[in-house]
């Protein structure tokens, strides 16, 4: 059923919204995502590099999951903000300071400073 939702969403050009993300997450109990040396288990909320757990903040994990699940699709900055903070006003700087810097660090990349 989860694959059916994913195929339907992809064919209809839909991206994860908070309600879609929660529904899909509950149906993803057996799904793992693998990319490079990483393995992501959404049901356990774990990211592994090889056999080591990568420590991420909850919001950084949510962001990475959103990006991984929407792989191949462009997500605009405003879409990310709306999906990650659906009921809050968030400044753009929050993406860099609270999401992208911790993600870059967790994934072992040196963050770029603009």
């Amino acid at each position: 059923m989860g694959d059916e939702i994913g195929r339907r969403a992809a064919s209809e050009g839909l991206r994860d919204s908070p309600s879609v993300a929660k529904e899909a997450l509950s149906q993803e109990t057996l799904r793992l995502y693998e990319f490079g040396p990483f393995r992501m288990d959404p049901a356990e909320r774990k990211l592994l590099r090889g056999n080591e757990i990568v420590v991420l903040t909850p919001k950084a994990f949510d962001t990475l999951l959103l990006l991984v699940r929407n792989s191949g699709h462009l997500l605009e900055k405003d879409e990310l903000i709306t999906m990650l903070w659906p009921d809050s006003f968030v400044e753009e700087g929050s993406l860099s300071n609270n999401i992208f810097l911790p993600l870059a660090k967790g994934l072992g990349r040196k963050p770029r400073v603009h």
Side-chain angles (χ1 to χ4, degrees), residues 56-64 67 80 84-85 93-105:
L56 294 175
T57 64
K59 196 58 78 173
F61 185 92
D62 292 342
T63 303
L64 182 59
L67 293 171
L80 283 172
L84 293 168
W85 289 279
S94 292
L95 285 176
S96 294
N97 296 329
N98 298 312
I99 303 300
F100 297 132
L101 293 176
L103 264 179
K105 182 180 177 185

Side-chain angles (χ1 to χ4, degrees), residues 2-103:
D3 289 340
E4 179 182 320
I5 290 172
R7 282 193 298 271
R8 187 181 78 225
S11 69
E12 295 174 4
L14 299 176
R15 293 193 174 89
D16 288 337
S17 68
S19 61
V20 171
K22 285 180 186 174
E23 178 183 332
L25 184 59
S26 67
Q27 297 174 4
E28 275 193 350
T29 56
L30 300 178
R31 178 170 287 178
L32 294 176
Y33 295 99
E34 294 184 341
F35 49 99
F38 299 97
R39 206 168 56 246
M40 184 176 218
D41 183 345
E44 295 290 326
R45 295 191 59 82
K46 286 185 185 175
L47 177 65
L48 300 169
R49 181 187 300 121
N51 292 323
E52 294 182 27
I53 293 176
V54 176
V55 179
L56 294 175
T57 64
K59 196 58 78 173
F61 185 92
D62 292 342
T63 303
L64 182 59
L65 179 58
L66 185 64
L67 293 171
V68 166
R69 290 184 70 216
N70 286 283
S71 177
H73 300 282
L74 176 66
L75 291 174
E76 298 287 339
K77 178 176 37 180
D78 291 338
E79 287 180 285
L80 283 172
I81 290 172
T82 300
M83 290 180 204
L84 293 168
W85 289 279
D87 300 318
S88 304
F89 172 78
V90 177
E91 294 183 10
E92 280 183 37
S94 292
L95 285 176
S96 294
N97 296 329
N98 298 312
I99 303 300
F100 297 132
L101 293 176
L103 264 179

